[in-house]
Amino acid sequence: MTERIYVFKAFERFWHWSQAFLIIGLLATGFEVHGSYRLFGFERAVNLHTNLAWCLVGLWVIAIFWHFTTGEWRQYIPTLKKVDAMIKYYVVGIFTNAPHPFKVTRLKKHNPLQRLAYLGVMVFIGPLIWVTGWLYLFYDKWSDWGLDPYLSLQWVAFFHLMAAFMMLLFLIAHLYLVTTGHTPTAHIKAMITGWEESD
């Protein structure tokens, strides 16, 4: 029997899709600034990249406030409980119609592997992108801050690009895993309507 659970609130869905749009835009413009291809032109790509970054900063500030005032931050507390079952499911079980080892509830929206992945994004990838992006954006202020602008810029660029590739890998894995519900579009529908279907 299939049960419908209202899992994702309106703000979570808005935050998710806005963040996805902004991150994809940042990846597209950032790789053009890096010289990987030509789409908007260098100057326009730089301006778009900067504006998208400020929009994402604003969105994250609002999202952090929302998560802490609603208590939803608890959804991201990492756990190792059932991690081995989740790995086994994604490696083997998903291809053999094994039952999913994790049941979504309003209080537990993310399985243990998702929690660990989100922790990696929030604790490592995100800060690396923001610190290097901030240094990149305010390169002309480095001397005022006591930083050597001639020795360090290539390292800032390297680590910013490395973080962008890690975010791209996260996005690719996220897009794959979103198709692993009981139908390929079930998780997408849940993030549009808020309702998750669970057996």
Side-chain angles (χ1 to χ4, degrees):
M1 181 176 161
T2 302
E3 178 186 5
R4 291 183 81 225
I5 308 166
Y6 187 68
V7 176
F8 301 109
K9 299 174 179 124
F11 178 79
E12 287 173 291
R13 299 191 314 269
F14 163 77
W15 169 58
H16 177 271
W17 292 111
S18 300
Q19 183 173 237
F21 169 78
L22 291 168
I23 287 173
I24 290 167
L26 283 162
L27 287 168
T29 55
F31 286 130
E32 179 169 5
V33 169
H34 180 67
S36 301
Y37 52 81
R38 182 174 170 81
L39 182 65
F40 300 107
F42 179 80
E43 188 175 341
R44 186 160 181 232
V46 168
N47 290 334
L48 282 168
H49 193 77
T50 303
N51 290 329
L52 290 169
W54 282 117
C55 289
L56 188 57
V57 167
L59 181 66
W60 277 18
V61 167
I62 294 166
I64 289 168
F65 175 79
W66 182 86
H67 279 86
F68 278 98
T69 57
T70 62
E72 288 294 323
W73 61 271
R74 292 180 186 90
Q75 300 285 349
Y76 300 92
I77 296 173
T79 178
L80 296 177
K81 188 178 177 183
K82 289 193 176 182
V83 166
D84 54 339
M86 290 304 308
I87 292 170
K88 184 177 177 185
Y89 175 76
Y90 285 128
V91 172
V92 177
I94 200 167
F95 304 107
T96 60
N97 270 348
H100 201 292
F102 179 79
K103 181 175 170 52
V104 173
T105 69
R106 286 185 183 138
L107 298 178
K108 292 184 180 175
K109 300 176 186 183
H110 308 301
N111 71 50
L113 278 181
Q114 286 175 306
R115 289 176 182 223
L116 289 173
Y118 294 142
L119 178 69
V121 170
M122 290 186 279
V123 171
F124 184 70
I125 300 173
L128 184 58
I129 285 177
W130 290 116
V131 169
T132 55
W134 190 264
L135 288 170
Y136 227 145
L137 187 61
F138 294 105
Y139 174 70
D140 60 328
K141 305 286 185 196
W142 284 19
S143 296
D144 299 341
W145 300 342
L147 299 172
D148 186 343
Y150 299 104
L151 296 177
S152 308
L153 185 60
Q154 68 184 43
W155 287 107
V156 169
F158 171 78
F159 284 113
H160 194 67
L161 182 64
M162 185 178 77
F165 273 113
M166 287 189 283
M167 186 62 82
L168 179 61
L169 288 174
F170 173 82
L171 180 63
I172 291 167
H174 191 71
L175 289 172
Y176 165 69
L177 292 174
V178 81
T179 66
T180 62
H182 62 279
T183 68
T185 59
H187 292 317
I188 297 170
K189 287 179 184 173
M191 195 46 77
I192 293 171
T193 65
W195 293 90
E196 182 84 52
E197 291 183 359
S198 178
D199 293 331

